[in-house]
Structure formats: C-alpha cells, structure tokens
Amino acid sequence: MFPFVLLLMLAAFAALRLYSVLGKRTGHEQQSLPKAAEKSVVPPLTPRLADPAPEAREGAGRPIEQPAEAGMRAIVAADLAFDVGQFIAGAQSAYRMVLDAFWKGDAEQLAWLVEPDVKAAFAQAIAARDTAGHRLDNRLVSIERATIVDAALAGRDARITVRFDADIAAVTRDAEGQVIAGSITDAVQTHDLWTFARTLKSNDPNWKLADTDEA
C-alpha cells in the first residue's frame, strides 16, 4: 500500500466505522470527520512564531512528546512563523471539520482539507456507504487531548503527527432512517494518529491531512 493511502472501510457496518479511513476505534467506530464549518471560518493550520522546546517540557499537559521535539525544532528553525499553540488549535478544528465532512459525505469540503490520496480513500468509503444505503448520524462530543507525537522535515516538506483522544457518539441508519448500529447517546473513546503535511514557505498556508492511523 503506497505511503499515504488510508485503509478501506471494514465490512458489515463499514458505513459506521472509521477504522480504515480514520484509524481504528474502540467500541462503535464512527464514520464522521470534523468538517462542518465553512471555508471562511476554518482556521488555517499556519503556526506563528514560537519555540516549542519550553512547552515540550511542561509536564503531563505538554503539547509535544519527546520523540517529536527534534523534528519540531527543525520545522521552527525553517519557518519562524510557526506557532505550536496555533497549530494544535488548527489541527483540532481540522479534526472536527474532516470528520464532519466525511460523515456527511461532503466530498467538496474534504477536497481542500486533505491530500489527494486521502481524498480518494474517503471518496471510495463514501461511495460504498451510499451503495449500501447507509447514513451516518455521528457527533464529536469532545476532544479530550491533542498532542504532537512525531514531526519531520525533509527539505521544505514538513509532516507533523497529532494524537487525538476524543469521545464520539456514532449511529448508522438505513435508507428508511432506522438505526442499524451504534448509539447517539453512548459516546465511545477514540484514539487517532493524524499526520498533517505542508511545504514550508509555499503560497498555501494550510496544513492538509496526509495520513491517518490508530493510536
């Protein structure tokens, strides 16, 4: 499987689960990505001036884990406009927006939030869901934690992996609107690894989703 292509959806209740497309979950895996906001209000994942090193040593709540520090230092050195706090805030917004767009089957919204390979995988999963006549009724209850766990810079190409620990309520309905899986009142803990990519100093200030995996 080539680098950034996401896994296909699981069988049976594939329409409900993001196992293949957005990383494995525990319990009911939902099919929603954070993407309900409009483009004009989407905070770009464009960090501003800040040195991640001090924050990386702030104890349990630190936004950067030790294995990511070297890569983050390289990114900050290459782009003095990078701000760790703003990046994490933007990543959380992107998490909500991508999930929401995926759940709704909004391919147009997904197109400008994710890399082409990810877009293709999402499109395939959405098509399979539509063919099955399934509809997702999912809700991102909360993001408990977002932490940078890995980072790398190759030339001008930067990649940052964020671990999201979140609570998601997920329901899959059939063509008649009947619930066939999940519970909208029973949130399930999910743990995802999302990798965002950007070419530093390019005209596009946004970081796009390049890969997903389970944490």
Side-chain angles (χ1 to χ4, degrees), residues 25-138:
R25 328 236 177 242
T26 56
H28 331 292
E29 271 127 4
Q30 78 302 342
Q31 252 191 322
S32 22
L33 303 186
K35 218 183 166 187
E38 306 217 349
K39 291 186 185 180
S40 59
V41 298
V42 177
L45 299 177
T46 316
R48 295 177 186 168
L49 183 60
D51 182 352
E55 296 178 84
R57 295 186 173 83
E58 286 183 358
R62 68 186 186 182
I64 305 173
E65 293 189 358
Q66 190 279 329
E69 288 188 20
M72 290 302 297
R73 288 179 185 277
I75 291 172
V76 170
D79 183 0
L80 296 181
F82 189 95
D83 178 87
V84 176
Q86 187 176 10
F87 174 84
I88 292 177
Q92 291 185 72
S93 293
Y95 185 73
R96 290 179 177 278
M97 293 167 61
V98 173
L99 283 175
D100 189 65
F102 176 66
W103 288 333
K104 293 178 178 179
D106 189 342
E108 182 178 353
Q109 180 85 330
L110 285 170
W112 60 276
L113 289 172
V114 305
E115 293 284 327
D117 290 340
V118 177
K119 176 187 173 182
F122 283 165
Q124 186 170 6
I126 291 171
R129 186 173 72 206
D130 291 343
T131 298
H134 293 169
R135 178 173 61 83
L136 300 181
D137 185 8
N138 298 351

Side-chain angles (χ1 to χ4, degrees), residues 6-37:
L6 303 178
L7 299 176
L8 298 179
M9 305 301 289
L10 292 181
F13 298 117
L16 169 69
R17 301 172 182 276
L18 287 179
Y19 172 98
S20 25
V21 193
L22 301 175
K24 185 187 297 181
R25 328 236 177 242
T26 56
H28 331 292
E29 271 127 4
Q30 78 302 342
Q31 252 191 322
S32 22
L33 303 186
K35 218 183 166 187

Side-chain angles (χ1 to χ4, degrees), residues 174-207:
D174 61 19
E176 285 69 46
Q178 299 300 310
V179 175
I180 58 176
S183 169
I184 200 64
T185 60
D186 182 19
V188 175
Q189 291 186 339
T190 65
H191 309 285
D192 291 312
L193 293 176
W194 281 27
T195 298
F196 297 94
R198 177 176 178 257
T199 298
L200 301 183
K201 299 182 180 178
S202 67
N203 293 329
D204 186 353
N206 295 305
W207 293 75

